[in-house]
Amino acid sequence: MNHSKELRRYPRQTAYIFAKYIVKEGAREDVITNIGAGGLFVRTWEKVESGQAIVLEFPLFDFDSTIQVAGKIIRLEPSGFAVEFIKPIQGLICRK
């Protein structure tokens, strides 16, 4: 199901970033497996509800500090979920 790639405004890059996040089901820690200026994918076996708000915290450009971003869970898959950021992350433009 590669339809989502065609609809993305910003390209994504493969990643392996440990992230903390908060959803209505609680606070969790999982791995970001791809990221772009407009969103990311979190690999997890935990269940979350699509359409809900999410706040994530993770290192991006410097592992000594973290950024915090807000978004919305837009798609669920058996291996995790996709997040669209409320505001794109400036400076994180991935090449196709």
Side-chain angles (χ1 to χ4, degrees):
M1 183 170 160
N2 289 336
H3 298 111
S4 60
K5 288 184 181 180
E6 297 163 10
L7 299 175
R8 287 185 186 143
R9 215 169 147 190
Y10 303 97
R12 298 235 186 130
Q13 187 75 287
T14 300
Y16 195 88
I17 304 168
F18 289 98
K20 297 177 183 180
Y21 61 94
I22 299 172
V23 289
K24 69 180 183 179
E25 292 84 2
R28 305 216 173 123
E29 294 183 33
D30 284 303
V31 175
I32 296 168
T33 57
N34 73 44
I35 189 168
L40 53 77
F41 188 85
V42 174
R43 186 185 73 201
T44 185
W45 307 114
E46 300 288 338
K47 301 296 180 205
V48 296
E49 186 178 307
S50 185
Q52 71 173 298
I54 183 170
V55 176
L56 301 106
E57 185 176 338
F58 54 92
L60 188 55
F61 300 113
D62 178 3
F63 287 103
D64 292 331
S65 61
T66 60
I67 65 166
Q68 191 174 70
V69 295
K72 178 180 177 182
I73 297 174
I74 58 168
R75 188 180 74 250
L76 302 177
E77 294 186 5
S79 63
F81 58 87
V83 174
E84 180 177 51
F85 299 141
I86 304 291
K87 293 181 184 177
I89 297 175
Q90 296 301 316
L92 184 62
I93 304 298
C94 302
R95 307 280 183 240
K96 284 187 178 181

